[in-house]
Amino acid sequence: MAPLLLQLAVLGAALAAAALVLISVVAFITATKMPALHRHEEEKFFLNAKGQKETLPSIWDLPTKQLSVVVPSYNEEKRLPVMMDEALSYLEKRQKRDPAFTYEVIVVDDGSKDKTSKVAFKYCQKYGSDKVRVITLVKNRGKGGAIRMGIFSSRGEKILMADADGATKFPDVEKLEKGLNDLQPWPNQMAIACGSRAHLEKESIAQRKCSFGGLISQPVFIGSILYGRH
């Protein structure tokens, strides 16, 4: 009985290995390059502070900012101001401490049905379109699609994704930057650092029970030189 079981185990392992190899080969053969980003004509522009159309930049251009903050937003007219006030307050203070620091905030309205774009545009008028830009998508692409659109329209050497609900304190970006710097040297000048609130899980669960579901943890990403930017 023992030899039979051993043979069956060996056979099972061999079949599993063969299946893994087959899957890898098929994945390699069928894999394609990243598809081009499709934009509707209206999504190729943003409005400057005067309400005039300007062409959006491309991630393939040379960076002109140290940090780009991409904020995917869907029906966030109520929560967005809190997040934007905190983020811009931090960024402005940081720029005053270090005049060499430059940034931009890109709010991507993911086909919202409320006044998300109008709320975001007020910050463009207040701080200028060099610092705050609003991209309004023709239709909802989902969070991933909104993030991708923002990233591909960014000008920063480093790119931060921040949720519109302000679930994470914006100054915590410094912890991500430290984590990113600790990864150096970066392979091919590319790296990504992920922030997690997993250590606050118990507190988060307790708050969810009280507020009936408002504090869902979302990771925050800051990546250096995505897709080969130098």
Side-chain angles (χ1 to χ4, degrees):
M1 180 63 71
L4 178 59
L5 291 176
L6 180 60
Q7 290 178 355
L8 290 174
V10 172
L11 179 61
L15 290 174
L20 181 60
V21 171
L22 179 61
I23 292 172
S24 300
V25 171
V26 171
F28 178 79
I29 294 174
T30 59
T32 58
K33 294 183 178 180
M34 182 183 299
L37 181 66
H38 172 71
R39 294 179 189 262
H40 293 279
E41 190 62 29
E42 297 89 337
E43 297 171 346
K44 297 178 181 179
F45 306 92
F46 69 96
L47 296 180
N48 61 26
K50 296 181 180 180
Q52 300 168 330
K53 280 187 176 182
E54 291 190 25
T55 303
L56 283 165
S58 168
I59 193 174
W60 305 111
D61 301 333
L62 290 175
T64 57
K65 302 290 181 184
Q66 288 186 13
L67 178 66
S68 291
V69 182
V70 176
V71 187
S73 306
Y74 179 70
N75 293 341
E76 293 286 3
E77 66 173 337
K78 294 182 179 180
R79 296 192 295 182
L80 184 61
V82 177
M83 178 270 168
M84 291 290 284
D85 287 340
E86 180 184 28
L88 287 164
S89 174
Y90 165 82
L91 293 168
E92 286 291 296
K93 289 178 181 177
R94 179 168 171 174
Q95 192 171 64
K96 287 182 179 179
R97 294 196 308 268
D98 178 12
F101 173 72
T102 55
Y103 74 89
E104 65 173 348
V105 178
I106 304 171
V107 179
V108 185
D109 181 349
D110 192 18
S112 298
K113 298 178 181 179
D114 64 0
K115 298 179 181 179
T116 294
S117 285
K118 290 184 179 179
V119 170
F121 187 66
K122 290 180 180 179
Y123 291 90
C124 171
Q125 293 175 313
K126 180 177 180 180
Y127 293 91
S129 56
D130 187 53
K131 290 184 175 180
V132 180
R133 295 182 174 182
V134 183
I135 303 175
T136 303
L137 304 186
V138 173
K139 63 179 181 179
N140 182 269
R141 293 175 181 245
K143 186 174 182 179
I147 293 171
R148 188 163 180 251
M149 183 68 78
I151 288 176
F152 273 70
S153 305
S154 64
R155 297 174 289 163
E157 294 178 353
K158 297 175 181 176
I159 303 170
L160 170 72
M161 190 284 286
D163 283 333
D165 60 5
T168 304
K169 296 297 182 182
F170 201 86
D172 284 347
V173 64
E174 295 180 9
K175 298 178 182 178
L176 290 174
E177 288 177 304
K178 182 180 183 303
L180 197 65
N181 291 331
D182 290 344
L183 293 175
Q184 294 191 51
W186 299 328
N188 299 318
Q189 288 300 301
M190 294 185 290
I192 183 168
C194 305
S196 172
R197 295 187 299 149
H199 62 290
L200 300 176
E201 183 177 358
K202 292 183 179 179
E203 179 183 347
S204 178
I205 291 173
Q207 291 186 24
R208 282 197 203 104
K209 289 181 179 178
C210 293
S211 62
F212 299 100
L215 302 177
I216 297 184
S217 301
Q218 292 288 349
V220 179
F221 304 89
I222 179 167
S224 168
I225 317 164
L226 301 181
Y227 307 113
R229 169 172 279 181
H230 296 283

